[in-house]
Amino acid sequence: MLTRRVSSVRRSASSPSQEPGAAGLDRRGFLQRSLVLGGLASLGELPLGTIREAKAGPPPSAGAPVEIRKNICTHCSVGCTVTAEVQNGVWIGQEPSWDSPINRGSHCAKGAAIREIVHSDRRLKYPMKLTGGEWRRISWEDAINEIGDKILSIRQQAGADAVYWLGSAKFTNEASYLLRKFAAFWGTNSVDHQARICHSTTVAGVANTWGYGAQTNSYNDIRNAKTMVFIGSNAAEAHPVAMQHLLASKEINRGNMIVMDPRFTRTAAHATDYVRFRAGTDIPLVWGLLWHVFQNGWEDKEFIRTRVYGMEEVRKEVDKWTPDEVERVTGVPPEQLKEVARKFATEKPATIIWCMGATQHTVGTANVRAFCIACLATGNVGKPGTGANIFRGHTNVQGATDLGLDITTLPLYYGLTEGAWKHWARVWDVSYESLRDRFDEVPAKAGRPARSRKENMETPGITSTRWFDAVIQPEQDVDQRSNLRAMIVMGHGGNTVTRMPEMLKGLEKLDLMVVMDPHPTTFAAIGNRKENTYLLPIATSLETDGSRTASNRSLQWGQQIVKPAFESKDDYEVMYLLAKKLGFADEMFKHIKVENNRPSPEDLLREINRGGWSTGYCGQSPERLQAHMRNQSKFDLVTLRAPKDAPEVGGDYYGLPWPCWGKPEIRHPGTAILYNTSLHVKDGGSTFRARFGTERNGQTLLAEDSFSLGSELTDGYPEVTMAVLKKLGWDRDLTADELAVIQRVGGDNVDTVSWATDLSGGIQRVCLDHGVMHYGNGKARAIAWNLPDPVPVHREPIYSPRPELVSKYPTRPDERQFRMVNAGFTVQKSAVDRGVAKDFPLILTSGRIVEYEGGGEETRSNPWLAELQQDMFVEINTRDAADRGVKDGQWVWVFGAENASKTRVKALVTDRVGRGVAWMPFHFSGWWEGEDLRSRYPSGTDPVVLGESVNTLTTYGFDPVTGMQETKVTLCQIRPA
Amino acid sequence: MRCVCRLLPALAVLAMLAVALVPAARAADPMTGANPTAQSVNERDLLNALGKLQGRITIPDGKAATLEQPQGREYRSFHERVLPWLAGIIILAVLAGLAAFYLIKGRIPAPPRDPGGRTVLRFSAVERLGHWLTATAFVVLAITGLNYFFGKRLLMPLIGADAFATWSHWAKYAHNFVAWAFMLGLLVMIVAWVRDNIPDRVDIAWLRAGGGFLDGSHPPAERFNAGQKLMFWGIVIFGLAISVSGVLMLFPFALLDINGMQFAQYVHATAAVLLIAVILGHIYIGTLGMEGAFQAMESGSVDLNWARTHHSVWAEKVLAEERAPRAGRPGTPAPAE
Amino acid sequence: MARMKFLCDADRCIECNACVTACKNEHEVPWGINRRRVVTINDGRPGERSISMACMHCTDAPCQAVCPVDCFYTTPDHVVLHSKDLCIGCGYCFYACPFGAPQYPRVGNFGSRGKMDKCTFCSGGPEPDGSEAEYVKYGANRLAEGKLPLCAEMCSTKSLLAGDGDIIAAIYKARVEKRGYGSGAWGWSTAYHETIEV
């Protein structure tokens, strides 16, 4: 396809004798000299000489070498390699990354424009501080000193929990890990990042089903699927490069591409079946689908028998969802759902793909549980072309989640138990007690008992969706020593949480606000802060190195493309400087090389490897990952595996997708498809994790007659501890060194040392040698008894457009979760009682557009992208628009159901949304209820495009398991402006 | 903002097609149950049905919403085939006709001068200014205008591409700016002369007599004879057509879409060629063709006898007014002395 | 000699606009100039399709025909290029172009639009290949480096194909045969007076 241009270029057709360049310049020079027309000239915009401005990025100048550097695009989780041409430290060009098996040269609008994000002159250039309402430039040294002094004094007055650490899904794995470790040393569990508001419910729901909360297969593996079901995923706009794999499945396999979505998305336009259903009725939809599956005997009985626990309970719930009731609640006609059910259950392999359309609900965790159960019922998991293909949001949102930027766990899902803390204390080589003593003691408040430091250390923090509630609510309602007083925000937009009018109150009340970001973000422009607000310029992800975990769990090592622009520093350096200021740098960086205040990301990854046994982050050494980036072309497009004989990476799956067991030296290839029993565990095979015990109510929780290829144990088995190993007699296979480490870890209780706490990796190594999965061989759980709804049940949204259904399907009772009260039931009841749905008759739902990402400050500052989307808009159905006299392109007010909120946006009249539904993108900010806040940004840092934030309008509602906010179903009204 | 989309006939047609194709869904929403792939549009059918493809875009440039406009083909064939031939034939034919007339009939001689050397003011200073403004502008516009399609055929081979591009660049600016002078002059002339160019009975007789061109007679005429009136109205109509279409082209896409812009060019070029033909005749009569005519627009005054010969009715009227002067009537100049 | 063509497989185009920003990135194209754009037909309804469109480098190109200063030329690869030194910014090529490819820096008082700019199939202009002067006026010259246009190379779904006409036609044909549907090679009959029969 590539054709070399053979002939030399033709000269200007009719002046072959002239030297073209010179002729052009001369002629233009002549014309410019002749411009004596004066007035006329200005009238006609005569400047003839300018063809266009030559900006950065001319062809490479002669002499200096052009270096190729690879990093990973930050704009979604697909993990596209960005190939940069760098000359004299300047990023002069971007080339297709043909070698990457993930993107194969491709990008979307954002990836293809990513060079501008680094070059952008709208970036924050130096530290700034708000003094008397004015932005002032300060030095880094002063900034760190002032911020450090302030948080130390807050700590003294209000405790460690009064400071909130909000991290970023654009961090590298190493930076994510570092911030989690930082919070541990600071003494709080209130450390969170974007996963809270994108896939926290997925992680919780999926992990509670079969062990790990991540995409089971990969983008590439979907090429094997015969049937794809999208629920709440608009991959064409959110994960465009993934679409090349998805469309390949549709085309090559003549597969079914079924899109179930309230909105006729760009993805739906390419579907073979489009099912429009009412937003917020995912569970009735899936149960309705399973009703047909069970009714027709399409379920995979053998799979259920051998590998699933509790499907009977599900059947009882599913039986309630007769086709008529499903149609009443969701609006989907029975015959259509039956057809979808038939395809999903019988035209296999089939996969379910979901995103935030499913997760951002008060029933988010239950939604994803229902999807998993649908996969289990039809045997669509643990094989190529099947599975729960969960498309995540940022470059490294998977990695940041794994590495514990989360209020409920230490890195790699160890949780917050004493055992977890002790494990990490051993890895960090610090004493457990010294960590414990950094936590607050919580006094008894409002009838709640006091918490000791140890108890507080084991108590999850406040979710990032509620931080402002923890600032503004009365102190006795906040279940910690005192209210939140300071926010330290690293790489997180200010328009990403719902209920922004209330967020604003919290923002204004904070004692300290620190924004560390390449851009000022919404936080800098919104609200009425005058003092104690700092902006620190941070390098973009492309200006720092480290590993990133894509949605498919592959780790990719990104190189620093260019040095951080202006006065920016990268996350590592800033965290080190702060730790130094706060006095725990020496302890925290005990085994990590620090050069010029910058900790080495390689060393950080090695430390992760040393402690990352639970999730298989132990085998991906920096050397192995760097070798993968060098050898990208060796990996197969569909299986992602390199041939056994390939140098450096032979037999590996691309990016050593976690879990990659054991020490790097044993060269586990990573796990491309989770729970795939048709492979040997040393080839990436695995079983469902025996995470929930061995027996319940007299039924076994271990697999029956199912085991991974070549396993020496040919039935289910529990997770492996030293005790189990001894029982099997395999402890003899441990080396003396391994045994020594295990004894050191176990102390008096060596038998309790498990595959996840054994710092030697010996237990894992021995198990793999015996073809056994050390985490056990369990059944997946159709019933998750530890969740609020063990079997997912339908619950109407807090602001339901169908109040008559609320009494039958109410939300869960009010309850205290994550130190705050979740008063969803009260709010829902009040909304029904007040008849809110009458005044606000339209469902408001939100989503993504391809040109922008997240809060959008970065992408809206990029002129190449900003040109593609000029204004914040609301999609309104043609009939709803006609009813309201709204014309396409005109300004309208959208009114929200809480806080008398309103936004002024442009109307996009379209049938993309059904009648009674309005849709808005979530990337805009910089306007507030009709007011343009451009002047509030520090001069020169305002994004090109500003607009109203949809979260000005979004309302109350939190998932009980993770505190996920409800962004997908609320109510609104629209009127012409 | 996904850019404002005009309500397209395309959508209407397709919507009808789509609705017809979807099996009657019983749900309230006709979309649910659709197979978007099977209902995919096909370029050829769309083009056949609509002739032009438009859709939705998100960039600010509204023109970009037109995906395909095969009408560019007609524009090209007009611009490259019809126009050069039309212009060439008409201009050459007029020139040939005038040359033939000159050769056969020669110059129309001026009548003997008024013995008293009396003159009458035929055109006021404002009228002459208007005329010459228009005339000069017209010459510039005609030359620079013809350059748009004859230049590359006639001039470029002689002077080379670069010099021709430079010339054309300036010719374009000249065309765009001088256009305003032309329009101003045209306006002045219309205001000044429209009253005297309203056709009446005298014109019928004049026309019956063929203007006397063939037999050398001088049928009676008012200030402007029927031939001149025809010329006037020709200039007004063609001139206005050129002006309106020209202004629309100076502000491209301000009011018109792509097909409108093409149409504006058709009008502009056709009217311009016809006007050039008319003006060539006018120039001929005003200079070579008729003795004494040029003087009228040069000095403004004509010999009384010339006036009596060529514009007898007007001359008598002027003389009568001279005898009984009335308060200045606009449009009718006061006597010279 | 290759005959360079573009082909947008609308059944794969998802309007991700990568082609648009790749073009901006490669050539530093300023705001308001859209050498390539994506148009969505039948938006928001079943049957919706998006098509990425730029200069198609037509056979017997209409722009070339109507240009009053003959500033266009066709390379041996049949890429239609133009000289900005010769261009007078009259706008005729835009009226003639079936695809709306020509772009002008200004809407312009009195039609002074500035020099026309359009897709070069990533192959620069009359100046020497890869020269600074060529870059400033026309952008990068990838063809001279043996590379194809970046828009197609970076296309997220491999919808946009660029290269030798016969080869991309064969790719498209194979695709349609494999998957069983195709909405046509958009613009081909207008640009090249041929279609791809499947």
Side-chain angles (χ1 to χ4, degrees), chain A residues 14 18 31 46 250 271-272 274 276 327 336 868 908, chain B residues 26 29 33-35 37 56 58 161-162 170 173:
Chain A
S14 37
Q18 273 178 301
L31 290 177
L46 273 174
K250 177 194 172 197
T272 55
Y274 171 63
R276 179 171 268 171
E327 188 179 17
Q336 192 192 353
L868 291 165
L908 176 66
Chain B
R26 69 169 225 210
D29 193 320
N35 178 339
T37 295
R56 201 189 275 277
T58 60
D162 286 320
W170 286 103
Y173 280 110

PDB file of all heavy atoms in Angstrom, chain A residues 14 18 31 46 250 271-272 274 276 327 336 868 908, chain B residues 26 29 33-35 37 56 58 161-162 170 173:
ATOM      1  N   SER A  14       4.665  26.598 -15.604  1.00  0.00           N
ATOM      2  CA  SER A  14       4.985  27.439 -16.753  1.00  0.00           C
ATOM      3  C   SER A  14       6.247  28.281 -16.544  1.00  0.00           C
ATOM      4  O   SER A  14       6.540  29.151 -17.348  1.00  0.00           O
ATOM      5  CB  SER A  14       3.794  28.331 -17.057  1.00  0.00           C
ATOM      6  OG  SER A  14       3.211  28.722 -15.845  1.00  0.00           O
ATOM      7  N   GLN A  18      12.810  29.259 -13.716  1.00  0.00           N
ATOM      8  CA  GLN A  18      13.060  30.049 -12.520  1.00  0.00           C
ATOM      9  C   GLN A  18      13.276  29.181 -11.304  1.00  0.00           C
ATOM     10  O   GLN A  18      12.708  28.110 -11.177  1.00  0.00           O
ATOM     11  CB  GLN A  18      11.883  30.981 -12.263  1.00  0.00           C
ATOM     12  CG  GLN A  18      12.042  32.284 -13.001  1.00  0.00           C
ATOM     13  CD  GLN A  18      10.837  33.148 -12.742  1.00  0.00           C
ATOM     14  OE1 GLN A  18       9.719  32.753 -13.051  1.00  0.00           O
ATOM     15  NE2 GLN A  18      11.063  34.307 -12.192  1.00  0.00           N
ATOM     16  N   LEU A  31       5.625  42.728  -4.299  1.00  0.00           N
ATOM     17  CA  LEU A  31       4.255  43.128  -4.023  1.00  0.00           C
ATOM     18  C   LEU A  31       4.171  43.916  -2.732  1.00  0.00           C
ATOM     19  O   LEU A  31       3.483  44.917  -2.634  1.00  0.00           O
ATOM     20  CB  LEU A  31       3.357  41.896  -3.943  1.00  0.00           C
ATOM     21  CG  LEU A  31       3.125  41.209  -5.277  1.00  0.00           C
ATOM     22  CD1 LEU A  31       2.288  39.969  -5.074  1.00  0.00           C
ATOM     23  CD2 LEU A  31       2.432  42.146  -6.253  1.00  0.00           C
ATOM     24  N   LEU A  46      -4.975  43.554   2.207  1.00  0.00           N
ATOM     25  CA  LEU A  46      -4.069  43.239   1.123  1.00  0.00           C
ATOM     26  C   LEU A  46      -2.835  42.413   1.435  1.00  0.00           C
ATOM     27  O   LEU A  46      -2.228  41.915   0.515  1.00  0.00           O
ATOM     28  CB  LEU A  46      -3.622  44.542   0.450  1.00  0.00           C
ATOM     29  CG  LEU A  46      -4.563  45.021  -0.653  1.00  0.00           C
ATOM     30  CD1 LEU A  46      -4.110  46.369  -1.149  1.00  0.00           C
ATOM     31  CD2 LEU A  46      -4.595  44.037  -1.810  1.00  0.00           C
ATOM     32  N   LYS A 250     -17.130  -7.425  13.723  1.00  0.00           N
ATOM     33  CA  LYS A 250     -18.412  -7.333  13.026  1.00  0.00           C
ATOM     34  C   LYS A 250     -18.256  -7.758  11.562  1.00  0.00           C
ATOM     35  O   LYS A 250     -19.094  -8.466  11.010  1.00  0.00           O
ATOM     36  CB  LYS A 250     -18.911  -5.892  13.106  1.00  0.00           C
ATOM     37  CG  LYS A 250     -20.201  -5.622  12.354  1.00  0.00           C
ATOM     38  CD  LYS A 250     -20.422  -4.109  12.220  1.00  0.00           C
ATOM     39  CE  LYS A 250     -21.604  -3.807  11.306  1.00  0.00           C
ATOM     40  NZ  LYS A 250     -21.602  -2.413  10.852  1.00  0.00           N
ATOM     41  N   ALA A 271     -24.173  -0.324  14.280  1.00  0.00           N
ATOM     42  CA  ALA A 271     -24.645  -1.565  14.881  1.00  0.00           C
ATOM     43  C   ALA A 271     -25.455  -2.385  13.879  1.00  0.00           C
ATOM     44  O   ALA A 271     -25.920  -1.879  12.865  1.00  0.00           O
ATOM     45  CB  ALA A 271     -25.505  -1.246  16.100  1.00  0.00           C
ATOM     46  N   THR A 272     -25.623  -3.671  14.208  1.00  0.00           N
ATOM     47  CA  THR A 272     -26.573  -4.473  13.446  1.00  0.00           C
ATOM     48  C   THR A 272     -27.919  -4.512  14.156  1.00  0.00           C
ATOM     49  O   THR A 272     -28.922  -4.861  13.550  1.00  0.00           O
ATOM     50  CB  THR A 272     -26.064  -5.915  13.274  1.00  0.00           C
ATOM     51  OG1 THR A 272     -25.780  -6.451  14.561  1.00  0.00           O
ATOM     52  CG2 THR A 272     -24.799  -5.951  12.440  1.00  0.00           C
ATOM     53  N   TYR A 274     -30.045  -2.031  17.070  1.00  0.00           N
ATOM     54  CA  TYR A 274     -30.053  -0.930  18.025  1.00  0.00           C
ATOM     55  C   TYR A 274     -31.285  -1.049  18.903  1.00  0.00           C
ATOM     56  O   TYR A 274     -32.406  -1.150  18.409  1.00  0.00           O
ATOM     57  CB  TYR A 274     -30.045   0.426  17.314  1.00  0.00           C
ATOM     58  CG  TYR A 274     -30.275   1.575  18.273  1.00  0.00           C
ATOM     59  CD1 TYR A 274     -29.368   1.832  19.288  1.00  0.00           C
ATOM     60  CD2 TYR A 274     -31.411   2.372  18.198  1.00  0.00           C
ATOM     61  CE1 TYR A 274     -29.574   2.850  20.201  1.00  0.00           C
ATOM     62  CE2 TYR A 274     -31.636   3.400  19.104  1.00  0.00           C
ATOM     63  CZ  TYR A 274     -30.709   3.633  20.103  1.00  0.00           C
ATOM     64  OH  TYR A 274     -30.925   4.637  21.013  1.00  0.00           O
ATOM     65  N   ARG A 276     -33.209   0.857  21.907  1.00  0.00           N
ATOM     66  CA  ARG A 276     -33.288   2.071  22.725  1.00  0.00           C
ATOM     67  C   ARG A 276     -34.088   1.748  23.973  1.00  0.00           C
ATOM     68  O   ARG A 276     -35.182   1.207  23.892  1.00  0.00           O
ATOM     69  CB  ARG A 276     -33.965   3.190  21.934  1.00  0.00           C
ATOM     70  CG  ARG A 276     -34.113   4.475  22.728  1.00  0.00           C
ATOM     71  CD  ARG A 276     -34.591   5.611  21.842  1.00  0.00           C
ATOM     72  NE  ARG A 276     -33.438   6.329  21.302  1.00  0.00           N
ATOM     73  CZ  ARG A 276     -33.522   7.251  20.380  1.00  0.00           C
ATOM     74  NH1 ARG A 276     -34.664   7.568  19.832  1.00  0.00           N
ATOM     75  NH2 ARG A 276     -32.430   7.874  19.960  1.00  0.00           N
ATOM     76  N   GLU A 327     -41.043  -4.434  29.302  1.00  0.00           N
ATOM     77  CA  GLU A 327     -41.430  -3.387  28.361  1.00  0.00           C
ATOM     78  C   GLU A 327     -42.002  -2.177  29.101  1.00  0.00           C
ATOM     79  O   GLU A 327     -41.722  -1.034  28.760  1.00  0.00           O
ATOM     80  CB  GLU A 327     -42.451  -3.914  27.354  1.00  0.00           C
ATOM     81  CG  GLU A 327     -42.714  -2.897  26.242  1.00  0.00           C
ATOM     82  CD  GLU A 327     -43.707  -3.387  25.193  1.00  0.00           C
ATOM     83  OE1 GLU A 327     -44.438  -4.355  25.481  1.00  0.00           O
ATOM     84  OE2 GLU A 327     -43.731  -2.791  24.105  1.00  0.00           O
ATOM     85  N   GLN A 336     -38.074  -7.993  20.326  1.00  0.00           N
ATOM     86  CA  GLN A 336     -36.735  -7.496  20.046  1.00  0.00           C
ATOM     87  C   GLN A 336     -35.732  -7.996  21.079  1.00  0.00           C
ATOM     88  O   GLN A 336     -34.629  -8.426  20.750  1.00  0.00           O
ATOM     89  CB  GLN A 336     -36.767  -5.979  20.059  1.00  0.00           C
ATOM     90  CG  GLN A 336     -35.505  -5.409  19.502  1.00  0.00           C
ATOM     91  CD  GLN A 336     -35.400  -3.937  19.762  1.00  0.00           C
ATOM     92  OE1 GLN A 336     -36.324  -3.301  20.242  1.00  0.00           O
ATOM     93  NE2 GLN A 336     -34.263  -3.384  19.432  1.00  0.00           N
ATOM     94  N   LEU A 868     -13.028  21.959  16.465  1.00  0.00           N
ATOM     95  CA  LEU A 868     -14.029  20.958  16.088  1.00  0.00           C
ATOM     96  C   LEU A 868     -15.297  21.030  16.935  1.00  0.00           C
ATOM     97  O   LEU A 868     -16.315  20.463  16.572  1.00  0.00           O
ATOM     98  CB  LEU A 868     -13.419  19.555  16.190  1.00  0.00           C
ATOM     99  CG  LEU A 868     -12.336  19.250  15.150  1.00  0.00           C
ATOM    100  CD1 LEU A 868     -11.537  18.021  15.549  1.00  0.00           C
ATOM    101  CD2 LEU A 868     -12.941  19.060  13.781  1.00  0.00           C
ATOM    102  N   LEU A 908     -29.084  21.350  20.177  1.00  0.00           N
ATOM    103  CA  LEU A 908     -28.830  20.497  19.018  1.00  0.00           C
ATOM    104  C   LEU A 908     -30.073  19.629  18.872  1.00  0.00           C
ATOM    105  O   LEU A 908     -30.296  18.713  19.654  1.00  0.00           O
ATOM    106  CB  LEU A 908     -27.586  19.645  19.233  1.00  0.00           C
ATOM    107  CG  LEU A 908     -27.269  18.639  18.142  1.00  0.00           C
ATOM    108  CD1 LEU A 908     -26.908  19.354  16.849  1.00  0.00           C
ATOM    109  CD2 LEU A 908     -26.116  17.756  18.540  1.00  0.00           C
TER     110      LEU A 908
ATOM    111  N   ARG B  26     -43.704  -1.719  16.993  1.00  0.00           N
ATOM    112  CA  ARG B  26     -44.904  -1.380  17.728  1.00  0.00           C
ATOM    113  C   ARG B  26     -44.592  -0.440  18.876  1.00  0.00           C
ATOM    114  O   ARG B  26     -45.477   0.146  19.466  1.00  0.00           O
ATOM    115  CB  ARG B  26     -45.597  -2.630  18.236  1.00  0.00           C
ATOM    116  CG  ARG B  26     -44.841  -3.340  19.328  1.00  0.00           C
ATOM    117  CD  ARG B  26     -45.740  -4.399  19.922  1.00  0.00           C
ATOM    118  NE  ARG B  26     -45.648  -4.341  21.360  1.00  0.00           N
ATOM    119  CZ  ARG B  26     -45.812  -5.401  22.150  1.00  0.00           C
ATOM    120  NH1 ARG B  26     -46.092  -6.566  21.628  1.00  0.00           N
ATOM    121  NH2 ARG B  26     -45.701  -5.303  23.450  1.00  0.00           N
ATOM    122  N   ASP B  29     -41.194   4.420  19.911  1.00  0.00           N
ATOM    123  CA  ASP B  29     -40.031   4.974  19.242  1.00  0.00           C
ATOM    124  C   ASP B  29     -39.730   4.177  17.973  1.00  0.00           C
ATOM    125  O   ASP B  29     -39.460   2.982  18.041  1.00  0.00           O
ATOM    126  CB  ASP B  29     -38.838   4.897  20.199  1.00  0.00           C
ATOM    127  CG  ASP B  29     -37.705   5.738  19.684  1.00  0.00           C
ATOM    128  OD1 ASP B  29     -37.486   5.726  18.473  1.00  0.00           O
ATOM    129  OD2 ASP B  29     -37.061   6.405  20.510  1.00  0.00           O
ATOM    130  N   GLY B  33     -35.062  -1.194  17.639  1.00  0.00           N
ATOM    131  CA  GLY B  33     -35.162  -2.362  16.775  1.00  0.00           C
ATOM    132  C   GLY B  33     -34.572  -2.146  15.409  1.00  0.00           C
ATOM    133  O   GLY B  33     -34.614  -3.028  14.562  1.00  0.00           O
ATOM    134  N   ALA B  34     -34.017  -0.975  15.192  1.00  0.00           N
ATOM    135  CA  ALA B  34     -33.458  -0.704  13.878  1.00  0.00           C
ATOM    136  C   ALA B  34     -32.175  -1.492  13.657  1.00  0.00           C
ATOM    137  O   ALA B  34     -31.477  -1.828  14.600  1.00  0.00           O
ATOM    138  CB  ALA B  34     -33.174   0.783  13.754  1.00  0.00           C
ATOM    139  N   ASN B  35     -31.890  -1.776  12.401  1.00  0.00           N
ATOM    140  CA  ASN B  35     -30.585  -2.299  12.029  1.00  0.00           C
ATOM    141  C   ASN B  35     -29.886  -1.206  11.229  1.00  0.00           C
ATOM    142  O   ASN B  35     -30.069  -1.086  10.023  1.00  0.00           O
ATOM    143  CB  ASN B  35     -30.725  -3.565  11.191  1.00  0.00           C
ATOM    144  CG  ASN B  35     -29.366  -4.102  10.760  1.00  0.00           C
ATOM    145  OD1 ASN B  35     -28.371  -3.370  10.734  1.00  0.00           O
ATOM    146  ND2 ASN B  35     -29.320  -5.366  10.434  1.00  0.00           N
ATOM    147  N   THR B  37     -27.006  -0.754  10.173  1.00  0.00           N
ATOM    148  CA  THR B  37     -26.111  -1.142   9.082  1.00  0.00           C
ATOM    149  C   THR B  37     -26.903  -1.459   7.818  1.00  0.00           C
ATOM    150  O   THR B  37     -26.565  -1.013   6.730  1.00  0.00           O
ATOM    151  CB  THR B  37     -25.268  -2.349   9.512  1.00  0.00           C
ATOM    152  OG1 THR B  37     -24.417  -1.929  10.579  1.00  0.00           O
ATOM    153  CG2 THR B  37     -24.429  -2.864   8.378  1.00  0.00           C
ATOM    154  N   ARG B  56     -24.137  16.975   8.467  1.00  0.00           N
ATOM    155  CA  ARG B  56     -23.840  17.781   9.649  1.00  0.00           C
ATOM    156  C   ARG B  56     -22.337  17.812   9.868  1.00  0.00           C
ATOM    157  O   ARG B  56     -21.657  16.805   9.687  1.00  0.00           O
ATOM    158  CB  ARG B  56     -24.522  17.175  10.869  1.00  0.00           C
ATOM    159  CG  ARG B  56     -24.698  18.151  12.005  1.00  0.00           C
ATOM    160  CD  ARG B  56     -25.166  17.441  13.252  1.00  0.00           C
ATOM    161  NE  ARG B  56     -26.601  17.238  13.369  1.00  0.00           N
ATOM    162  CZ  ARG B  56     -27.457  18.153  13.824  1.00  0.00           C
ATOM    163  NH1 ARG B  56     -27.042  19.341  14.177  1.00  0.00           N
ATOM    164  NH2 ARG B  56     -28.742  17.862  13.939  1.00  0.00           N
ATOM    165  N   THR B  58     -19.153  19.821  12.454  1.00  0.00           N
ATOM    166  CA  THR B  58     -19.006  20.506  13.737  1.00  0.00           C
ATOM    167  C   THR B  58     -18.043  21.673  13.652  1.00  0.00           C
ATOM    168  O   THR B  58     -17.898  22.413  14.610  1.00  0.00           O
ATOM    169  CB  THR B  58     -18.498  19.521  14.814  1.00  0.00           C
ATOM    170  OG1 THR B  58     -17.235  19.020  14.394  1.00  0.00           O
ATOM    171  CG2 THR B  58     -19.449  18.373  14.997  1.00  0.00           C
ATOM    172  N   ALA B 161       4.044  32.609 -16.829  1.00  0.00           N
ATOM    173  CA  ALA B 161       3.108  32.369 -15.730  1.00  0.00           C
ATOM    174  C   ALA B 161       3.296  33.335 -14.565  1.00  0.00           C
ATOM    175  O   ALA B 161       2.331  33.835 -14.001  1.00  0.00           O
ATOM    176  CB  ALA B 161       3.245  30.936 -15.229  1.00  0.00           C
ATOM    177  N   ASP B 162       4.544  33.606 -14.214  1.00  0.00           N
ATOM    178  CA  ASP B 162       4.762  34.445 -13.030  1.00  0.00           C
ATOM    179  C   ASP B 162       4.306  35.876 -13.271  1.00  0.00           C
ATOM    180  O   ASP B 162       3.603  36.452 -12.453  1.00  0.00           O
ATOM    181  CB  ASP B 162       6.241  34.399 -12.628  1.00  0.00           C
ATOM    182  CG  ASP B 162       6.574  33.068 -11.969  1.00  0.00           C
ATOM    183  OD1 ASP B 162       5.750  32.580 -11.178  1.00  0.00           O
ATOM    184  OD2 ASP B 162       7.646  32.514 -12.269  1.00  0.00           O
ATOM    185  N   TRP B 170      -3.055  41.830  -9.463  1.00  0.00           N
ATOM    186  CA  TRP B 170      -3.424  43.242  -9.419  1.00  0.00           C
ATOM    187  C   TRP B 170      -4.712  43.490 -10.194  1.00  0.00           C
ATOM    188  O   TRP B 170      -5.519  44.326  -9.810  1.00  0.00           O
ATOM    189  CB  TRP B 170      -2.275  44.102  -9.947  1.00  0.00           C
ATOM    190  CG  TRP B 170      -1.212  44.140  -8.910  1.00  0.00           C
ATOM    191  CD1 TRP B 170      -0.051  43.453  -8.889  1.00  0.00           C
ATOM    192  CD2 TRP B 170      -1.288  44.861  -7.679  1.00  0.00           C
ATOM    193  NE1 TRP B 170       0.633  43.682  -7.719  1.00  0.00           N
ATOM    194  CE2 TRP B 170      -0.106  44.554  -6.961  1.00  0.00           C
ATOM    195  CE3 TRP B 170      -2.223  45.726  -7.098  1.00  0.00           C
ATOM    196  CZ2 TRP B 170       0.149  45.080  -5.706  1.00  0.00           C
ATOM    197  CZ3 TRP B 170      -1.944  46.258  -5.855  1.00  0.00           C
ATOM    198  CH2 TRP B 170      -0.766  45.924  -5.170  1.00  0.00           C
ATOM    199  N   TYR B 173      -7.454  42.758  -7.835  1.00  0.00           N
ATOM    200  CA  TYR B 173      -7.722  43.862  -6.899  1.00  0.00           C
ATOM    201  C   TYR B 173      -8.365  45.017  -7.618  1.00  0.00           C
ATOM    202  O   TYR B 173      -9.296  45.653  -7.102  1.00  0.00           O
ATOM    203  CB  TYR B 173      -6.434  44.293  -6.195  1.00  0.00           C
ATOM    204  CG  TYR B 173      -6.125  43.351  -5.075  1.00  0.00           C
ATOM    205  CD1 TYR B 173      -5.044  42.481  -5.135  1.00  0.00           C
ATOM    206  CD2 TYR B 173      -6.966  43.292  -3.971  1.00  0.00           C
ATOM    207  CE1 TYR B 173      -4.805  41.591  -4.119  1.00  0.00           C
ATOM    208  CE2 TYR B 173      -6.738  42.395  -2.951  1.00  0.00           C
ATOM    209  CZ  TYR B 173      -5.655  41.546  -3.031  1.00  0.00           C
ATOM    210  OH  TYR B 173      -5.436  40.653  -2.024  1.00  0.00           O
TER     211      TYR B 173
END
